[in-house]
Amino acid sequence: MRKPIIGGNWKMNRGIPSDTVNMLKKLIPSVKKVNSVDIVIAPPFTALGSAVEITKKSNIKIGAQNMYFEETGAYTGEISSLFLKKLGVEYVILGHSERRDIFKESDELINKKLKKALSMKLNPIVCIGEHLEERDAGKTKEVIHNQIHNTFKNLTKEDLIKTVIAYEPIWAIGTGKTATPEQTEEIHLFIREILELKYDSETANAIRIQYGGSIKPTNAKELFEKENIDGGLVGGASLQADSLFEIIKAADATTK
Ligand code: 13P
């Protein structure tokens, strides 16, 4: 049984520490009794310290939205895994499509970050997903295959199992267009097939695969009920405690 994981990717929102703390103060009591779902909130870097502090005695874990693969040095503007670790951050999102598209991050760079995160015992959430043109051209599986092959290059199966994959079709992010549960399930199964060929069936079945893209309280249940969808990475709807709690409850319900 894979434990569902719900991540709140706040993107460049709620970066003022008091703003983060206010939201988390509402979320903490409502999720108190949820123990069958991993809950991760990823605020901007500026609010990570406050987020770690306020969630210390709760069942919410804090994640960063990015990191660099070197520990220290002349890398202006970058944040290292060492700093995150020392701050008490436990997860890190890597290779989000906004990082890939806007900041030109390559699979090769994400692979280096992934290996570094794992060596620092940060739990990585690695995003993959196709553009609309690629889906329309019937290239979704090819894109996913290449991203997995390159992003997870030379990863041991022990490390792979510690990684969470977030399948986020880019055309569904922030657009209100959700991939249907069937479309998502098909790709999640395909991801497991690739991993079975690359590793083995035990590894392929153990890894958690989240869906991301316009998840809302109204569509969460039907997505999470699918066998191979192990929760979600939520953007817009994770900014308010009420809507995020509804989504967490939908994931929790699938474990009963
Ligand atoms: P939305 O939920 O706002 O579509 O964002 C999804 C996402 O990119 C999560 O990482």
Side-chain angles (χ1 to χ4, degrees), residues 175-221:
T175 57
K177 273 190 211 162
T178 326
T180 65
E182 291 68 33
Q183 281 172 324
T184 307
E185 177 74 358
E186 185 193 352
I187 300 302
H188 285 213
L189 259 178
F190 177 66
I191 294 169
R192 291 198 202 282
E193 276 167 33
I194 301 172
L195 296 176
E196 183 170 348
L197 286 175
K198 223 168 130 62
Y199 297 88
D200 51 46
S201 64
E202 196 192 353
T203 312
N205 282 321
I207 191 165
R208 293 186 291 179
I209 311 178
Q210 301 175 293
Y211 164 77
S214 299
I215 299 181
K216 294 182 275 298
T218 47
N219 59 23
K221 182 172 177 282

mmCIF file of all heavy atoms in Angstrom, residues 175-221:
data_model
loop_
_atom_site.group_PDB
_atom_site.id
_atom_site.type_symbol
_atom_site.label_atom_id
_atom_site.label_comp_id
_atom_site.label_asym_id
_atom_site.label_seq_id
_atom_site.Cartn_x
_atom_site.Cartn_y
_atom_site.Cartn_z
ATOM 1 N N THR A 175 -4.643 26.315 -15.471
ATOM 2 C CA THR A 175 -5.521 26.627 -16.592
ATOM 3 C C THR A 175 -6.984 26.298 -16.290
ATOM 4 O O THR A 175 -7.870 26.677 -17.045
ATOM 5 C CB THR A 175 -5.129 25.778 -17.821
ATOM 6 O OG1 THR A 175 -5.189 24.392 -17.431
ATOM 7 C CG2 THR A 175 -3.732 26.106 -18.313
ATOM 8 N N GLY A 176 -7.195 25.560 -15.187
ATOM 9 C CA GLY A 176 -8.552 25.102 -14.892
ATOM 10 C C GLY A 176 -8.880 23.827 -15.656
ATOM 11 O O GLY A 176 -9.896 23.180 -15.410
ATOM 12 N N LYS A 177 -8.003 23.440 -16.593
ATOM 13 C CA LYS A 177 -8.225 22.189 -17.343
ATOM 14 C C LYS A 177 -7.533 21.062 -16.604
ATOM 15 O O LYS A 177 -6.308 21.045 -16.505
ATOM 16 C CB LYS A 177 -7.523 22.280 -18.712
ATOM 17 C CG LYS A 177 -8.313 22.897 -19.797
ATOM 18 C CD LYS A 177 -7.558 22.675 -21.105
ATOM 19 C CE LYS A 177 -7.829 23.813 -22.045
ATOM 20 N NZ LYS A 177 -6.859 23.906 -23.107
ATOM 21 N N THR A 178 -8.301 20.134 -16.072
ATOM 22 C CA THR A 178 -7.671 19.008 -15.373
ATOM 23 C C THR A 178 -7.573 17.855 -16.351
ATOM 24 O O THR A 178 -8.478 17.643 -17.155
ATOM 25 C CB THR A 178 -8.567 18.517 -14.212
ATOM 26 O OG1 THR A 178 -9.218 19.652 -13.676
ATOM 27 C CG2 THR A 178 -7.788 17.794 -13.161
ATOM 28 N N ALA A 179 -6.487 17.089 -16.257
ATOM 29 C CA ALA A 179 -6.455 15.841 -17.023
ATOM 30 C C ALA A 179 -7.529 14.952 -16.391
ATOM 31 O O ALA A 179 -7.733 15.005 -15.183
ATOM 32 C CB ALA A 179 -5.083 15.216 -16.901
ATOM 33 N N THR A 180 -8.218 14.178 -17.186
ATOM 34 C CA THR A 180 -9.259 13.321 -16.597
ATOM 35 C C THR A 180 -8.583 12.231 -15.765
ATOM 36 O O THR A 180 -7.407 11.900 -15.996
ATOM 37 C CB THR A 180 -10.118 12.645 -17.682
ATOM 38 O OG1 THR A 180 -9.258 11.760 -18.422
ATOM 39 C CG2 THR A 180 -10.760 13.650 -18.619
ATOM 40 N N PRO A 181 -9.326 11.659 -14.832
ATOM 41 C CA PRO A 181 -8.733 10.565 -14.053
ATOM 42 C C PRO A 181 -8.220 9.446 -14.968
ATOM 43 O O PRO A 181 -7.173 8.854 -14.703
ATOM 44 C CB PRO A 181 -9.912 10.077 -13.202
ATOM 45 C CG PRO A 181 -10.792 11.280 -13.062
ATOM 46 C CD PRO A 181 -10.673 12.023 -14.355
ATOM 47 N N GLU A 182 -8.930 9.203 -16.067
ATOM 48 C CA GLU A 182 -8.513 8.127 -16.982
ATOM 49 C C GLU A 182 -7.212 8.480 -17.709
ATOM 50 O O GLU A 182 -6.316 7.658 -17.845
ATOM 51 C CB GLU A 182 -9.614 7.828 -18.022
ATOM 52 C CG GLU A 182 -10.866 7.190 -17.446
ATOM 53 C CD GLU A 182 -11.679 8.128 -16.523
ATOM 54 O OE1 GLU A 182 -11.696 9.349 -16.779
ATOM 55 O OE2 GLU A 182 -12.272 7.626 -15.548
ATOM 56 N N GLN A 183 -7.132 9.734 -18.188
ATOM 57 C CA GLN A 183 -5.892 10.176 -18.868
ATOM 58 C C GLN A 183 -4.712 10.082 -17.901
ATOM 59 O O GLN A 183 -3.621 9.654 -18.273
ATOM 60 C CB GLN A 183 -6.023 11.650 -19.308
ATOM 61 C CG GLN A 183 -6.815 11.873 -20.577
ATOM 62 C CD GLN A 183 -7.052 13.377 -20.809
ATOM 63 O OE1 GLN A 183 -7.253 14.152 -19.879
ATOM 64 N NE2 GLN A 183 -7.026 13.779 -22.076
ATOM 65 N N THR A 184 -4.959 10.495 -16.665
ATOM 66 C CA THR A 184 -3.880 10.500 -15.672
ATOM 67 C C THR A 184 -3.461 9.083 -15.320
ATOM 68 O O THR A 184 -2.273 8.753 -15.307
ATOM 69 C CB THR A 184 -4.352 11.248 -14.402
ATOM 70 O OG1 THR A 184 -4.839 12.523 -14.806
ATOM 71 C CG2 THR A 184 -3.232 11.433 -13.417
ATOM 72 N N GLU A 185 -4.457 8.243 -15.071
ATOM 73 C CA GLU A 185 -4.163 6.850 -14.707
ATOM 74 C C GLU A 185 -3.337 6.173 -15.815
ATOM 75 O O GLU A 185 -2.399 5.430 -15.528
ATOM 76 C CB GLU A 185 -5.494 6.107 -14.472
ATOM 77 C CG GLU A 185 -5.379 4.628 -14.163
ATOM 78 C CD GLU A 185 -4.868 4.309 -12.754
ATOM 79 O OE1 GLU A 185 -4.564 5.245 -11.997
ATOM 80 O OE2 GLU A 185 -4.739 3.113 -12.450
ATOM 81 N N GLU A 186 -3.677 6.467 -17.054
ATOM 82 C CA GLU A 186 -2.959 5.848 -18.183
ATOM 83 C C GLU A 186 -1.464 6.216 -18.131
ATOM 84 O O GLU A 186 -0.595 5.365 -18.302
ATOM 85 C CB GLU A 186 -3.576 6.331 -19.508
ATOM 86 C CG GLU A 186 -2.973 5.647 -20.713
ATOM 87 C CD GLU A 186 -3.337 6.319 -22.040
ATOM 88 O OE1 GLU A 186 -4.182 7.244 -22.050
ATOM 89 O OE2 GLU A 186 -2.737 5.925 -23.064
ATOM 90 N N ILE A 187 -1.193 7.501 -17.873
ATOM 91 C CA ILE A 187 0.205 7.934 -17.846
ATOM 92 C C ILE A 187 0.918 7.402 -16.597
ATOM 93 O O ILE A 187 2.077 6.981 -16.666
ATOM 94 C CB ILE A 187 0.322 9.479 -17.937
ATOM 95 C CG1 ILE A 187 -0.311 9.987 -19.248
ATOM 96 C CG2 ILE A 187 1.779 9.928 -17.851
ATOM 97 C CD1 ILE A 187 0.293 9.403 -20.542
ATOM 98 N N HIS A 188 0.219 7.376 -15.472
ATOM 99 C CA HIS A 188 0.856 6.848 -14.257
ATOM 100 C C HIS A 188 1.221 5.365 -14.438
ATOM 101 O O HIS A 188 2.292 4.931 -14.032
ATOM 102 C CB HIS A 188 -0.067 7.032 -13.042
ATOM 103 C CG HIS A 188 -0.110 8.454 -12.557
ATOM 104 N ND1 HIS A 188 -0.273 8.800 -11.240
ATOM 105 C CD2 HIS A 188 0.010 9.624 -13.227
ATOM 106 C CE1 HIS A 188 -0.247 10.129 -11.116
ATOM 107 N NE2 HIS A 188 -0.101 10.634 -12.323
ATOM 108 N N LEU A 189 0.336 4.627 -15.090
ATOM 109 C CA LEU A 189 0.634 3.218 -15.375
ATOM 110 C C LEU A 189 1.820 3.097 -16.317
ATOM 111 O O LEU A 189 2.688 2.242 -16.142
ATOM 112 C CB LEU A 189 -0.583 2.569 -16.048
ATOM 113 C CG LEU A 189 -1.456 1.713 -15.153
ATOM 114 C CD1 LEU A 189 -2.647 1.193 -15.949
ATOM 115 C CD2 LEU A 189 -0.656 0.531 -14.594
ATOM 116 N N PHE A 190 1.842 3.983 -17.302
ATOM 117 C CA PHE A 190 2.948 3.994 -18.266
ATOM 118 C C PHE A 190 4.280 4.270 -17.538
ATOM 119 O O PHE A 190 5.301 3.641 -17.824
ATOM 120 C CB PHE A 190 2.670 5.049 -19.350
ATOM 121 C CG PHE A 190 3.777 5.198 -20.348
ATOM 122 C CD1 PHE A 190 4.103 4.161 -21.223
ATOM 123 C CD2 PHE A 190 4.516 6.371 -20.422
ATOM 124 C CE1 PHE A 190 5.142 4.295 -22.146
ATOM 125 C CE2 PHE A 190 5.550 6.527 -21.337
ATOM 126 C CZ PHE A 190 5.867 5.487 -22.192
ATOM 127 N N ILE A 191 4.246 5.206 -16.584
ATOM 128 C CA ILE A 191 5.460 5.524 -15.804
ATOM 129 C C ILE A 191 5.923 4.271 -15.046
ATOM 130 O O ILE A 191 7.101 3.929 -15.031
ATOM 131 C CB ILE A 191 5.196 6.696 -14.825
ATOM 132 C CG1 ILE A 191 4.936 7.986 -15.613
ATOM 133 C CG2 ILE A 191 6.369 6.885 -13.851
ATOM 134 C CD1 ILE A 191 4.409 9.165 -14.787
ATOM 135 N N ARG A 192 4.968 3.556 -14.463
ATOM 136 C CA ARG A 192 5.349 2.323 -13.741
ATOM 137 C C ARG A 192 5.925 1.283 -14.709
ATOM 138 O O ARG A 192 6.849 0.548 -14.363
ATOM 139 C CB ARG A 192 4.147 1.742 -12.986
ATOM 140 C CG ARG A 192 3.710 2.608 -11.823
ATOM 141 C CD ARG A 192 2.837 1.888 -10.807
ATOM 142 N NE ARG A 192 2.070 2.870 -10.049
ATOM 143 C CZ ARG A 192 2.554 3.618 -9.053
ATOM 144 N NH1 ARG A 192 3.803 3.465 -8.680
ATOM 145 N NH2 ARG A 192 1.799 4.500 -8.435
ATOM 146 N N GLU A 193 5.383 1.228 -15.919
ATOM 147 C CA GLU A 193 5.918 0.270 -16.906
ATOM 148 C C GLU A 193 7.376 0.593 -17.239
ATOM 149 O O GLU A 193 8.211 -0.292 -17.331
ATOM 150 C CB GLU A 193 5.094 0.344 -18.199
ATOM 151 C CG GLU A 193 3.824 -0.504 -18.175
ATOM 152 C CD GLU A 193 2.894 -0.137 -19.343
ATOM 153 O OE1 GLU A 193 3.418 0.228 -20.427
ATOM 154 O OE2 GLU A 193 1.676 -0.195 -19.137
ATOM 155 N N ILE A 194 7.641 1.887 -17.433
ATOM 156 C CA ILE A 194 9.024 2.287 -17.755
ATOM 157 C C ILE A 194 9.948 1.904 -16.591
ATOM 158 O O ILE A 194 11.039 1.367 -16.792
ATOM 159 C CB ILE A 194 9.131 3.826 -17.975
ATOM 160 C CG1 ILE A 194 8.223 4.286 -19.110
ATOM 161 C CG2 ILE A 194 10.580 4.244 -18.253
ATOM 162 C CD1 ILE A 194 8.136 5.808 -19.236
ATOM 163 N N LEU A 195 9.478 2.173 -15.367
ATOM 164 C CA LEU A 195 10.321 1.900 -14.195
ATOM 165 C C LEU A 195 10.502 0.393 -13.976
ATOM 166 O O LEU A 195 11.541 -0.046 -13.499
ATOM 167 C CB LEU A 195 9.733 2.562 -12.950
ATOM 168 C CG LEU A 195 9.703 4.103 -13.013
ATOM 169 C CD1 LEU A 195 9.012 4.682 -11.789
ATOM 170 C CD2 LEU A 195 11.116 4.681 -13.148
ATOM 171 N N GLU A 196 9.488 -0.370 -14.378
ATOM 172 C CA GLU A 196 9.617 -1.825 -14.251
ATOM 173 C C GLU A 196 10.711 -2.345 -15.193
ATOM 174 O O GLU A 196 11.519 -3.192 -14.830
ATOM 175 C CB GLU A 196 8.275 -2.503 -14.554
ATOM 176 C CG GLU A 196 8.355 -3.989 -14.359
ATOM 177 C CD GLU A 196 7.006 -4.683 -14.400
ATOM 178 O OE1 GLU A 196 5.952 -3.997 -14.353
ATOM 179 O OE2 GLU A 196 7.006 -5.921 -14.492
ATOM 180 N N LEU A 197 10.735 -1.776 -16.405
ATOM 181 C CA LEU A 197 11.758 -2.185 -17.365
ATOM 182 C C LEU A 197 13.149 -1.736 -16.920
ATOM 183 O O LEU A 197 14.131 -2.450 -17.079
ATOM 184 C CB LEU A 197 11.461 -1.590 -18.753
ATOM 185 C CG LEU A 197 10.322 -2.225 -19.528
ATOM 186 C CD1 LEU A 197 10.071 -1.457 -20.821
ATOM 187 C CD2 LEU A 197 10.641 -3.696 -19.853
ATOM 188 N N LYS A 198 13.208 -0.534 -16.371
ATOM 189 C CA LYS A 198 14.493 0.044 -15.951
ATOM 190 C C LYS A 198 15.004 -0.592 -14.644
ATOM 191 O O LYS A 198 16.195 -0.762 -14.464
ATOM 192 C CB LYS A 198 14.262 1.551 -15.717
ATOM 193 C CG LYS A 198 15.355 2.465 -16.260
ATOM 194 C CD LYS A 198 14.860 3.922 -16.238
ATOM 195 C CE LYS A 198 15.812 4.900 -15.588
ATOM 196 N NZ LYS A 198 17.095 5.064 -16.200
ATOM 197 N N TYR A 199 14.076 -0.929 -13.743
ATOM 198 C CA TYR A 199 14.439 -1.496 -12.438
ATOM 199 C C TYR A 199 13.766 -2.861 -12.298
ATOM 200 O O TYR A 199 14.203 -3.823 -12.897
ATOM 201 C CB TYR A 199 14.036 -0.544 -11.307
ATOM 202 C CG TYR A 199 14.769 0.785 -11.372
ATOM 203 C CD1 TYR A 199 14.271 1.856 -12.128
ATOM 204 C CD2 TYR A 199 15.970 0.977 -10.688
ATOM 205 C CE1 TYR A 199 14.952 3.070 -12.199
ATOM 206 C CE2 TYR A 199 16.653 2.186 -10.757
ATOM 207 C CZ TYR A 199 16.139 3.234 -11.511
ATOM 208 O OH TYR A 199 16.805 4.422 -11.584
ATOM 209 N N ASP A 200 12.689 -2.932 -11.547
ATOM 210 C CA ASP A 200 11.918 -4.181 -11.438
ATOM 211 C C ASP A 200 10.499 -3.837 -10.980
ATOM 212 O O ASP A 200 10.217 -2.670 -10.670
ATOM 213 C CB ASP A 200 12.583 -5.154 -10.448
ATOM 214 C CG ASP A 200 12.886 -4.501 -9.120
ATOM 215 O OD1 ASP A 200 11.995 -3.795 -8.590
ATOM 216 O OD2 ASP A 200 14.000 -4.660 -8.597
ATOM 217 N N SER A 201 9.614 -4.830 -10.920
ATOM 218 C CA SER A 201 8.213 -4.519 -10.647
ATOM 219 C C SER A 201 8.016 -4.049 -9.197
ATOM 220 O O SER A 201 7.167 -3.206 -8.917
ATOM 221 C CB SER A 201 7.313 -5.703 -10.963
ATOM 222 O OG SER A 201 7.621 -6.755 -10.108
ATOM 223 N N GLU A 202 8.815 -4.569 -8.297
ATOM 224 C CA GLU A 202 8.700 -4.165 -6.892
ATOM 225 C C GLU A 202 8.978 -2.658 -6.756
ATOM 226 O O GLU A 202 8.220 -1.926 -6.107
ATOM 227 C CB GLU A 202 9.733 -4.958 -6.091
ATOM 228 C CG GLU A 202 9.493 -4.942 -4.615
ATOM 229 C CD GLU A 202 10.690 -5.491 -3.850
ATOM 230 O OE1 GLU A 202 11.648 -6.006 -4.467
ATOM 231 O OE2 GLU A 202 10.659 -5.372 -2.611
ATOM 232 N N THR A 203 10.030 -2.216 -7.424
ATOM 233 C CA THR A 203 10.405 -0.795 -7.380
ATOM 234 C C THR A 203 9.318 0.053 -8.049
ATOM 235 O O THR A 203 8.897 1.079 -7.519
ATOM 236 C CB THR A 203 11.756 -0.597 -8.105
ATOM 237 O OG1 THR A 203 12.664 -1.573 -7.622
ATOM 238 C CG2 THR A 203 12.318 0.788 -7.908
ATOM 239 N N ALA A 204 8.873 -0.410 -9.208
ATOM 240 C CA ALA A 204 7.862 0.337 -9.963
ATOM 241 C C ALA A 204 6.565 0.482 -9.173
ATOM 242 O O ALA A 204 5.880 1.508 -9.258
ATOM 243 C CB ALA A 204 7.595 -0.356 -11.297
ATOM 244 N N ASN A 205 6.251 -0.548 -8.380
ATOM 245 C CA ASN A 205 5.015 -0.494 -7.600
ATOM 246 C C ASN A 205 5.162 0.281 -6.309
ATOM 247 O O ASN A 205 4.179 0.731 -5.731
ATOM 248 C CB ASN A 205 4.535 -1.916 -7.274
ATOM 249 C CG ASN A 205 3.862 -2.525 -8.485
ATOM 250 O OD1 ASN A 205 3.129 -1.840 -9.208
ATOM 251 N ND2 ASN A 205 4.142 -3.788 -8.743
ATOM 252 N N ALA A 206 6.395 0.418 -5.847
ATOM 253 C CA ALA A 206 6.616 1.083 -4.555
ATOM 254 C C ALA A 206 6.646 2.602 -4.680
ATOM 255 O O ALA A 206 6.295 3.314 -3.743
ATOM 256 C CB ALA A 206 7.922 0.595 -3.947
ATOM 257 N N ILE A 207 7.053 3.108 -5.825
ATOM 258 C CA ILE A 207 7.243 4.557 -5.953
ATOM 259 C C ILE A 207 5.888 5.288 -6.003
ATOM 260 O O ILE A 207 4.920 4.807 -6.614
ATOM 261 C CB ILE A 207 8.125 4.899 -7.184
ATOM 262 C CG1 ILE A 207 8.531 6.378 -7.135
ATOM 263 C CG2 ILE A 207 7.450 4.547 -8.491
ATOM 264 C CD1 ILE A 207 9.659 6.721 -8.077
ATOM 265 N N ARG A 208 5.859 6.441 -5.339
ATOM 266 C CA ARG A 208 4.608 7.202 -5.325
ATOM 267 C C ARG A 208 4.569 8.176 -6.494
ATOM 268 O O ARG A 208 5.540 8.875 -6.766
ATOM 269 C CB ARG A 208 4.461 7.945 -4.000
ATOM 270 C CG ARG A 208 4.279 6.952 -2.854
ATOM 271 C CD ARG A 208 3.987 7.634 -1.561
ATOM 272 N NE ARG A 208 5.127 8.370 -1.040
ATOM 273 C CZ ARG A 208 5.092 9.062 0.091
ATOM 274 N NH1 ARG A 208 3.966 9.137 0.782
ATOM 275 N NH2 ARG A 208 6.161 9.692 0.541
ATOM 276 N N ILE A 209 3.434 8.195 -7.174
ATOM 277 C CA ILE A 209 3.262 9.099 -8.320
ATOM 278 C C ILE A 209 2.046 9.988 -8.059
ATOM 279 O O ILE A 209 0.909 9.517 -8.005
ATOM 280 C CB ILE A 209 3.090 8.319 -9.648
ATOM 281 C CG1 ILE A 209 4.171 7.245 -9.805
ATOM 282 C CG2 ILE A 209 3.103 9.290 -10.832
ATOM 283 C CD1 ILE A 209 4.056 6.393 -11.069
ATOM 284 N N GLN A 210 2.326 11.280 -7.911
ATOM 285 C CA GLN A 210 1.244 12.250 -7.689
ATOM 286 C C GLN A 210 0.802 12.812 -9.029
ATOM 287 O O GLN A 210 1.570 12.841 -9.981
ATOM 288 C CB GLN A 210 1.750 13.468 -6.917
ATOM 289 C CG GLN A 210 2.344 13.260 -5.582
ATOM 290 C CD GLN A 210 2.888 14.585 -5.034
ATOM 291 O OE1 GLN A 210 3.845 15.127 -5.559
ATOM 292 N NE2 GLN A 210 2.288 15.097 -3.983
ATOM 293 N N TYR A 211 -0.414 13.343 -9.030
ATOM 294 C CA TYR A 211 -0.864 14.117 -10.196
ATOM 295 C C TYR A 211 -0.852 15.596 -9.815
ATOM 296 O O TYR A 211 -1.115 15.937 -8.644
ATOM 297 C CB TYR A 211 -2.283 13.696 -10.606
ATOM 298 C CG TYR A 211 -2.914 14.713 -11.533
ATOM 299 C CD1 TYR A 211 -2.542 14.758 -12.879
ATOM 300 C CD2 TYR A 211 -3.820 15.672 -11.051
ATOM 301 C CE1 TYR A 211 -3.066 15.732 -13.714
ATOM 302 C CE2 TYR A 211 -4.345 16.644 -11.886
ATOM 303 C CZ TYR A 211 -3.965 16.667 -13.217
ATOM 304 O OH TYR A 211 -4.466 17.630 -14.038
ATOM 305 N N GLY A 212 -0.564 16.473 -10.755
ATOM 306 C CA GLY A 212 -0.666 17.910 -10.506
ATOM 307 C C GLY A 212 -1.222 18.628 -11.717
ATOM 308 O O GLY A 212 -0.879 18.313 -12.864
ATOM 309 N N GLY A 213 -2.101 19.593 -11.494
ATOM 310 C CA GLY A 213 -2.694 20.379 -12.584
ATOM 311 C C GLY A 213 -4.151 20.655 -12.291
ATOM 312 O O GLY A 213 -4.997 19.774 -12.467
ATOM 313 N N SER A 214 -4.436 21.883 -11.778
ATOM 314 C CA SER A 214 -5.805 22.314 -11.506
ATOM 315 C C SER A 214 -6.594 21.373 -10.596
ATOM 316 O O SER A 214 -7.793 21.165 -10.804
ATOM 317 C CB SER A 214 -6.564 22.546 -12.825
ATOM 318 O OG SER A 214 -5.931 23.572 -13.579
ATOM 319 N N ILE A 215 -5.918 20.802 -9.606
ATOM 320 C CA ILE A 215 -6.663 20.002 -8.621
ATOM 321 C C ILE A 215 -7.461 20.964 -7.746
ATOM 322 O O ILE A 215 -6.954 21.995 -7.303
ATOM 323 C CB ILE A 215 -5.728 19.168 -7.715
ATOM 324 C CG1 ILE A 215 -4.906 18.182 -8.548
ATOM 325 C CG2 ILE A 215 -6.526 18.429 -6.637
ATOM 326 C CD1 ILE A 215 -3.977 17.309 -7.717
ATOM 327 N N LYS A 216 -8.721 20.579 -7.521
ATOM 328 C CA LYS A 216 -9.618 21.400 -6.690
ATOM 329 C C LYS A 216 -10.401 20.449 -5.777
ATOM 330 O O LYS A 216 -10.445 19.247 -6.044
ATOM 331 C CB LYS A 216 -10.612 22.153 -7.592
ATOM 332 C CG LYS A 216 -9.966 23.184 -8.504
ATOM 333 C CD LYS A 216 -10.990 23.935 -9.344
ATOM 334 C CE LYS A 216 -11.392 23.251 -10.627
ATOM 335 N NZ LYS A 216 -10.408 23.004 -11.640
ATOM 336 N N PRO A 217 -11.051 20.999 -4.756
ATOM 337 C CA PRO A 217 -11.862 20.113 -3.914
ATOM 338 C C PRO A 217 -12.895 19.341 -4.740
ATOM 339 O O PRO A 217 -13.249 18.213 -4.407
ATOM 340 C CB PRO A 217 -12.544 21.078 -2.935
ATOM 341 C CG PRO A 217 -11.605 22.232 -2.834
ATOM 342 C CD PRO A 217 -11.007 22.377 -4.214
ATOM 343 N N THR A 218 -13.366 19.920 -5.834
ATOM 344 C CA THR A 218 -14.423 19.281 -6.619
ATOM 345 C C THR A 218 -13.939 18.132 -7.512
ATOM 346 O O THR A 218 -14.735 17.301 -7.930
ATOM 347 C CB THR A 218 -15.114 20.323 -7.514
ATOM 348 O OG1 THR A 218 -14.091 21.092 -8.162
ATOM 349 C CG2 THR A 218 -16.027 21.236 -6.730
ATOM 350 N N ASN A 219 -12.658 18.101 -7.854
ATOM 351 C CA ASN A 219 -12.217 17.002 -8.727
ATOM 352 C C ASN A 219 -11.213 16.056 -8.057
ATOM 353 O O ASN A 219 -10.767 15.077 -8.655
ATOM 354 C CB ASN A 219 -11.633 17.542 -10.046
ATOM 355 C CG ASN A 219 -10.437 18.466 -9.817
ATOM 356 O OD1 ASN A 219 -9.782 18.406 -8.794
ATOM 357 N ND2 ASN A 219 -10.152 19.327 -10.782
ATOM 358 N N ALA A 220 -10.846 16.366 -6.802
ATOM 359 C CA ALA A 220 -9.783 15.588 -6.144
ATOM 360 C C ALA A 220 -10.177 14.119 -5.941
ATOM 361 O O ALA A 220 -9.390 13.210 -6.229
ATOM 362 C CB ALA A 220 -9.447 16.235 -4.802
ATOM 363 N N LYS A 221 -11.419 13.908 -5.501
ATOM 364 C CA LYS A 221 -11.842 12.556 -5.133
ATOM 365 C C LYS A 221 -11.715 11.579 -6.307
ATOM 366 O O LYS A 221 -11.132 10.514 -6.194
ATOM 367 C CB LYS A 221 -13.293 12.610 -4.631
ATOM 368 C CG LYS A 221 -13.854 11.292 -4.172
ATOM 369 C CD LYS A 221 -15.223 11.499 -3.526
ATOM 370 C CE LYS A 221 -15.869 10.201 -3.121
ATOM 371 N NZ LYS A 221 -16.468 9.454 -4.250
#
